[in-house]
Amino acid sequence: MKNKHKVSSAVNFGGWGWFLVLICIVYQMMYSAFAVDGINGYGASLAAYLSQVSGTEITSDMLTPIGIICCLLGLLFTTLVLKKGTKLVAVASCFGMAIAVFCFGRITNFTNYTIGLFFVQIFGTCLAFAVHHGFVGSWFPTLKGVVMGWTTMGLPLTSMILVPFVTWCFAGSWGWTGFCNALAVVLLVLGFVTLIFMTNTPEEKGCYPDNIRPENRAHQDTREDLTRYFKTKYSIVDLLKNKSVWMIVIGFGIPWATTAGVMSQIIVRMMSTGYFADPFGPVAILSGCTLVGLIGSFCWGWLDTNIGTKRAGVFYNLAYVVFLIGMMFLHQMPVIMCTVLTACLCFTAGGIPNLMPSMVISKFGRYEFMSANRVCTPLATIIQSCGFAILVLGKSLGGGNNWFAGYGVFVVLCLIGAFVISRIDDKKESDDAAIEQELLEKAKSHSAK
């Protein structure tokens, strides 16, 4: 990274900073390939393959990601990042996921599928959340919003690149096994790249956090990694008792659940309007709108950096309220609104993976981020995993397949989410400057011995 007194653009991250961004994009893609985005894209083909090799009927509706179980393991992942460092956990996750994906390509029945998906998503969830957040939080504590705007582009990129690739595999001789073999190789390469080139902190590369040389730091002429002297003041129990933690989890977990619930059923919703004779039209619309998701990832990150995470979070919830009201009346609108509202939802979906961890950094600071995140991310992703069930429950409460009631539940929840975020205290839970001064004193004392 170059030493800068100011960062005036959304791309001035330095050479190593951009390298980290690109690696984090790939982490996100590997996770998304076997999460909601991936399975929604190739679920029908995979279900047909499993039905053929197992001799029993398997439908795409049965291929549900094992979200909640993996989220419960999130506490373990984020604690390992805190205790052992992000790099070590990243390398282990890459190699572990490579082995799991290789075996996943050789499933022959639904039981094999369920077991294989469980292990694939364990390591994938670790890469997408614990590892991704750990690297970005350490390297870009202030610019985390715009940086995550770039890194979370890996999610919509999955639909643009990997889903067409697996479709090509199924149509040719590669098949499901060939697709998984290819991704296993990518994960092995990713693991070695992480091992050789990635570092837990920018200081280990001789760089500064945020690519900015801090004028107000007492140690501005050195780039020593002070994090090695840091010990968190929060236990897990302390964090579970912390009001800010629960406000962040609820305020951002709600729109995350909304994203999961609405996007997983958007093709079904378009079909319910009666405008389409088969799913090819809605699938084409959703595929075309994935590019909007890329733009949304960057725009929400830019908004986060420029108006603050708190305001961006409130606006994010309210944007969902507007779009969901439109989805309630989709069947009464012109068919073009299927494309318009899908694009709006894809744009909005591109923001949630970066806003919540950004809020954790804003509230707890660079040094305590990984400690606070080991509780915030698992709890929020548990709420996210309930998105599909919330939509189903809402529709049933409305007297059956009632989309108005289903979306209405999310509208109410998002209004609650906006209110909760608006009430988050602007005062930081921990002061980076004070912690840094303490660490500097520890470093001086250690050097004197």
Side-chain angles (χ1 to χ4, degrees), residues 22-358:
L22 293 174
I23 293 299
C24 285
I25 287 175
V26 183
Y27 289 154
Q28 295 279 299
M29 291 182 69
M30 293 300 101
Y31 158 76
S32 188
F34 299 99
V36 175
D37 296 310
I39 294 174
N40 281 348
Y42 55 71
S45 298
L46 179 56
Y49 164 74
L50 284 173
S51 298
Q52 179 183 358
V53 297
S54 66
T56 58
E57 183 179 359
I58 296 173
T59 65
S60 59
D61 292 337
M62 298 168 64
L63 308 181
T64 306
I66 312 173
I68 293 180
I69 298 176
C70 293
C71 293
L72 292 173
L73 292 169
L75 179 61
L76 171 63
F77 304 151
T78 48
T79 300
L80 285 174
V81 167
L82 177 67
K83 300 293 185 181
K84 302 298 182 180
T86 310
K87 177 177 176 176
L88 179 61
V89 177
V91 172
S93 296
C94 285
F95 291 149
M97 190 175 182
I99 295 171
V101 169
F102 179 81
C103 297
F104 196 45
R106 284 146 182 82
I107 52 177
T108 57
N109 54 55
F110 185 71
T111 300
N112 293 158
Y113 166 82
T114 304
I115 296 173
L117 184 64
F118 172 71
F119 285 103
V120 168
Q121 288 200 339
I122 282 177
F123 296 111
T125 300
C126 185
L127 287 175
F129 299 108
V131 168
H132 170 224
H133 296 170
F135 277 134
V136 175
S138 179
W139 278 71
F140 298 100
T142 303
L143 298 178
K144 76 285 184 187
V146 70
V147 170
M148 287 190 178
W150 285 103
T151 58
T152 53
M153 287 183 179
L155 300 178
L157 274 174
T158 304
S159 298
M160 294 181 65
I161 299 174
L162 292 184
V163 172
F165 175 61
V166 71
T167 302
W168 175 82
C169 290
F170 272 116
S173 60
W174 279 36
W176 175 249
T177 301
F179 170 73
C180 289
N181 287 347
L183 262 63
V185 171
V186 172
L187 284 160
L188 285 175
V189 173
L190 187 61
F192 282 112
V193 169
T194 301
L195 176 64
I196 296 170
F197 297 107
M198 298 289 278
T199 57
N200 291 317
T201 65
E203 289 89 345
E204 293 175 68
K205 286 289 187 186
C207 305
Y208 291 113
D210 291 318
N211 194 27
I212 306 174
R213 177 173 178 168
E215 299 176 354
N216 60 340
R217 288 186 185 176
H219 67 296
Q220 60 180 305
D221 292 327
T222 181
R223 304 181 194 182
E224 181 179 4
D225 179 17
L226 297 178
T227 58
R228 60 183 175 148
Y229 302 107
F230 174 73
K231 298 293 183 183
T232 179
K233 67 179 181 180
Y234 296 104
S235 68
I236 292 177
V237 174
D238 293 333
L239 292 168
L240 290 174
K241 293 179 179 179
N242 189 291
K243 179 181 177 181
S244 296
V245 166
W246 286 103
M247 295 182 78
I248 292 171
V249 167
I250 294 171
F252 291 94
I254 286 174
W256 207 351
T258 304
T259 301
V262 173
M263 295 306 294
S264 66
Q265 291 290 294
I266 194 167
I267 292 176
V268 178
R269 175 56 178 141
M270 283 192 277
M271 288 294 297
S272 72
T273 62
Y275 296 143
F276 306 95
D278 53 59
F280 294 108
V283 169
I285 290 173
L286 181 59
S287 299
C289 289
T290 54
L291 179 61
V292 181
L294 286 175
I295 300 172
S297 293
F298 175 80
C299 289
W300 285 108
W302 179 89
L303 195 67
D304 177 349
T305 301
N306 284 272
I307 70 172
T309 312
K310 180 176 173 178
R311 290 181 180 178
V314 172
F315 184 58
Y316 189 85
N317 275 279
L318 295 179
Y320 255 130
V321 169
V322 174
F323 300 148
L324 288 171
I325 291 174
M327 291 297 290
M328 289 180 178
F329 301 97
L330 186 61
H331 58 287
Q332 298 178 0
M333 297 181 181
V335 66
I336 187 64
M337 290 305 294
C338 290
T339 301
V340 172
L341 285 172
T342 299
C344 290
L345 290 171
C346 285
F347 181 90
T348 308
I352 192 57
N354 60 53
L355 287 175
M356 196 210 73
S358 181

